Amino acid sequence: MATIGQTEVSAVTRVEDLPPRVRAAVLLAMGRRPEEIGPAVGVSGRTVRRWRERPEMRADIRRVRLRLLDGALAAERAEVGE
């Protein structure tokens, strides 16, 4: 289980069940643009850009990216048969 902001997130957590800021952090980590993310989480793209500038949000985005990379690497290793 991982923590993003104040929210505990597991592999079975649905993105739709997460708070808007956490969903925004996940979507930003996946490379989505603030203008796309805002409507998806119920705020404006401008709000997402403001959130992205906060140090704690930047840290959350970095943590999510690392988890995504870890998952992709694990999947690749499983596919190769290591």
Side-chain angles (χ1 to χ4, degrees):
M1 185 151 334
T3 302
I4 302 173
Q6 301 288 325
T7 305
E8 293 288 328
V9 180
S10 74
V12 296
T13 303
R14 293 180 1 180
V15 173
E16 299 82 21
D17 296 336
L18 298 172
R21 285 187 186 177
V22 175
R23 282 188 289 164
V26 170
L27 294 170
L28 285 165
M30 294 172 65
R32 302 272 303 273
R33 294 182 10 243
E35 293 76 20
E36 298 172 59
I37 297 168
V41 301
V43 298
S44 70
R46 182 177 178 195
T47 297
V48 174
R49 284 191 300 277
R50 279 197 318 268
W51 288 348
R52 184 180 58 190
E53 296 305 316
R54 294 180 174 178
E56 64 272 12
M57 180 68 127
R58 288 183 194 186
D60 289 342
I61 293 166
R62 278 192 296 274
R63 278 193 291 276
V64 172
R65 283 183 181 145
L66 288 174
R67 303 275 304 181
L68 291 170
L69 288 171
D70 285 345
L73 183 58
E76 184 68 26
R77 284 184 178 151
E79 189 174 301
V80 172
E82 289 185 15

